[in-house]
Amino acid sequence: MKTRTLGTLALLFLVGCSSLPKAPAPETNLNNRTTAFHNMGNKSVSQMEFQKALTFYGKALSMHASVDDQAGVARSFLSMGQVFLCREDACGAERNFHSASLAAEGAQRSDLWIRAQCGLAKAQVLRRNFEDALDILMTAQVEGLPSDQRTQAVWWHDRGVVASKLEDWAQAQSSLQKALALNEGINNRQGIAGDCYSLAVVYQEQGNFRE
């Protein structure tokens, strides 16, 4: 049963709107290497080899830090935070998402900062602190969602998931449908799959099995 639970978590965090951030486009030898480590980390997560994934992301993190690439540092911490979520380790997730938030602020990347806040909210969901998770998401929205549709979709998806945990079914359905529309607009198949899965859960909880 534990293996099945971990497998479901790995699937959700890989295909959901909160999927692992893509590695930066390779432009130099260093970028080629960090990209390779990110990709190997993503592959390890998909295979539920979480410790191996952390090793790969950690190597990418060291390389980004060596050239003071704060955006790259933020991406690596985001990826590591997702691994801790898959392991259901709220403390580890919070630690990495907090570091991602600081690096994103340093890089002045609102998209990465919003993703870090969504990660912190997910850690609170793991702790079953649903109201705290909602507070984090709403504070992030007040700061302003970026124009990037993929990041907007991440926020709306997580807003919907938290609403479902609070049994606010109308808000959950509305938020997930907004996330789905955004992901369909950019043909983000992983995001679409995550949104449809979460909407199905909402419908099931309401006893509504319509498509």
Side-chain angles (χ1 to χ4, degrees), residues 62-113:
S62 296
M63 291 181 181
H64 289 307
S66 71
V67 293
D68 196 28
D69 176 7
Q70 290 300 301
V73 167
R75 291 189 186 95
S76 294
F77 276 126
L78 286 172
S79 295
M80 293 170 75
Q82 295 284 9
V83 174
F84 281 101
L85 287 178
C86 289
R87 293 171 61 171
E88 300 184 71
D89 182 345
C91 289
E94 285 177 328
R95 183 171 63 252
N96 282 276
F97 288 129
H98 179 67
S99 295
S101 179
L102 293 176
E105 287 180 358
Q108 297 184 329
R109 288 289 300 272
S110 61
D111 57 331
L112 298 178
W113 185 83

Side-chain angles (χ1 to χ4, degrees), residues 169-178 199 202-203 206 210:
W169 305 119
Q171 181 64 61
Q173 184 174 330
S174 174
S175 296
L176 290 168
Q177 287 174 338
K178 287 180 181 179
L199 276 168
V202 170
Y203 291 145
Q206 296 179 91
R210 68 183 179 182

Side-chain angles (χ1 to χ4, degrees), residues 14-26:
L14 278 173
V15 305
C17 290
S18 52
S19 59
L20 297 171
K22 292 183 178 180

Side-chain angles (χ1 to χ4, degrees), residues 72-203:
V73 167
R75 291 189 186 95
S76 294
F77 276 126
L78 286 172
S79 295
M80 293 170 75
Q82 295 284 9
V83 174
F84 281 101
L85 287 178
C86 289
R87 293 171 61 171
E88 300 184 71
D89 182 345
C91 289
E94 285 177 328
R95 183 171 63 252
N96 282 276
F97 288 129
H98 179 67
S99 295
S101 179
L102 293 176
E105 287 180 358
Q108 297 184 329
R109 288 289 300 272
S110 61
D111 57 331
L112 298 178
W113 185 83
I114 289 291
R115 286 174 180 263
Q117 303 314 301
C118 288
L120 289 168
K122 289 186 179 73
Q124 291 302 317
V125 170
L126 274 183
R127 296 181 186 277
R128 304 192 65 80
N129 295 332
F130 305 135
E131 292 288 353
D132 289 343
L134 179 60
D135 286 344
I136 292 171
L137 291 174
M138 299 312 294
T139 298
Q141 185 185 40
V142 169
E143 291 294 324
L145 298 182
S147 59
D148 171 38
Q149 284 185 247
R150 187 179 296 264
T151 301
Q152 288 184 29
V154 170
W155 188 91
W156 280 109
H157 177 92
D158 291 349
R159 176 71 179 89
V161 170
V162 171
S164 71
K165 297 297 184 181
L166 292 167
E167 299 186 1
D168 183 351
W169 305 119
Q171 181 64 61
Q173 184 174 330
S174 174
S175 296
L176 290 168
Q177 287 174 338
K178 287 180 181 179
L180 179 59
L182 286 164
N183 279 316
E184 287 178 336
I186 57 176
N187 195 29
N188 177 13
R189 294 182 180 180
Q190 292 181 338
I192 291 168
D195 296 332
C196 289
Y197 177 89
S198 296
L199 276 168
V201 171
V202 170
Y203 291 145

Side-chain angles (χ1 to χ4, degrees), residues 37-76:
F37 282 130
H38 271 281
N39 290 339
M40 286 188 284
N42 292 349
K43 181 178 180 180
S44 295
V45 172
S46 70
Q47 297 172 341
M48 294 189 291
E49 296 178 336
F50 300 134
Q51 191 56 49
K52 185 182 292 187
L54 288 173
T55 298
F56 288 134
Y57 293 141
K59 289 181 178 180
L61 172 62
S62 296
M63 291 181 181
H64 289 307
S66 71
V67 293
D68 196 28
D69 176 7
Q70 290 300 301
V73 167
R75 291 189 186 95
S76 294

